[in-house]
Amino acid sequence: MLNRLHSRKKIQLVLGLVTGMMFGFLLQKGGATDYDVILGQLLLRDFTVVKIMLSAVVVGTLGVHLLRSLGLARLHPKPGSLGMSALGGLLFGVGFGTLGYCPGTVAGAVGNGYLDAILGGVVGILIGTGVFAALFPKMRRPVLQLGDFGETTIPQLLGVNPWVVVVPAAAGIAALLLWMHKAGI
Amino acid sequence: MEWLAAPRWSPYIVGFGIGVLSWLAFLLSDKPIGCSTAFARTSGMIERAVRGRKVETKPYYRAFPPGVDWEWMLVLGIVIGSLVSSLLSRSFRFMWVPGLWAAAFGNTPAARMAVALFGGVCMGFGSRWAGGCTSGHGISGTLQLALSSWIASICFFAGGIATAFFIFRVLGG
């Protein structure tokens, strides 16, 4: 039944829109569509963004792995390499610090009326992705495949059942959040 | 229904909601929530409108064909969801320069726009280089315990923190 739902293209477009609307609603309510909140996080003054992300990861990790164990969901880990994940990640970070939004929150910031998000952010991201598409063939071999590790997950890397990592990871992140809350961070 | 009009919700409630949303995305759509691929597809659609169908033969656009898909609709949905939330709490406003930026560098829109555009270019290029963004790697990838996503997310924040400190402590200090 789920496979049939997944292959219904029009229904999936509607589901994407509805999922996005709920996501955008939550991001705005959390303050994550604000430049000041995101920069507050990167300047280590306001930990709202990290609290949102880590709470989502705790809840998401437990639920998605449960769905997977019940045979109701498949994982889709992204491929990576040191050249991709580390170098690309650092450049993304430079963009994160200068733009003050990310590709998801910039869309939320547009909905919030922020003009630097649409005229600076969205336009800039479209230019950046377009330039990457042009340079991709030249970067593939020398950079993107450097230190390639594919779609490995941490449990696969350790050679253990996913739950051996899921439970301690979720508990550890939850403990960190509790500590941050108690310490007034 | 006052909670729908509240300007802010607890970050833990918001995070819980996004976590549940990730279950629904995996269950109903067989997709992790992500955003940056939609920008790459849009860029491809714009390039195709200008340069014609030969754009579709570029290796990158063969892997990520220009067009509207689930994720593209998700990004559109984010705009609408945030608009609804900000209207309900009366926090919707047109703003050129964010407060924190204005306090350090003044209220001139041109300077903020130039820096935002530069940041956007780095982010667009970097997100495709790393293969994901703060949603696709930072939330959906880390919750799947993907090695690529944990490395990328740590680097997103390392680069972001270093850049923010450089801008506000060195240039704006």
Side-chain angles (χ1 to χ4, degrees), chain B residues 1 5 33 41 43 61 74 85 113 115 118 128 137-138 141 154:
Chain B
M1 300 301 262
I33 290 174
R41 292 188 202 277
S43 198
Y61 293 130
L74 179 110
S85 171
M113 286 304 137
V115 170
F118 169 80
R128 293 295 81 214
H137 272 314
I154 290 166

Side-chain angles (χ1 to χ4, degrees), chain A residues 12 28 74 76 78 99 108, chain B residues 29-30 82 85 112 144 148:
Chain A
Q12 286 304 327
Q28 206 280 338
R74 278 178 300 217
H76 298 286
K78 287 174 185 280
L99 175 58
Chain B
S29 302
D30 193 29
S82 173
S85 171
R112 170 59 193 149
Q144 296 180 74
S148 60

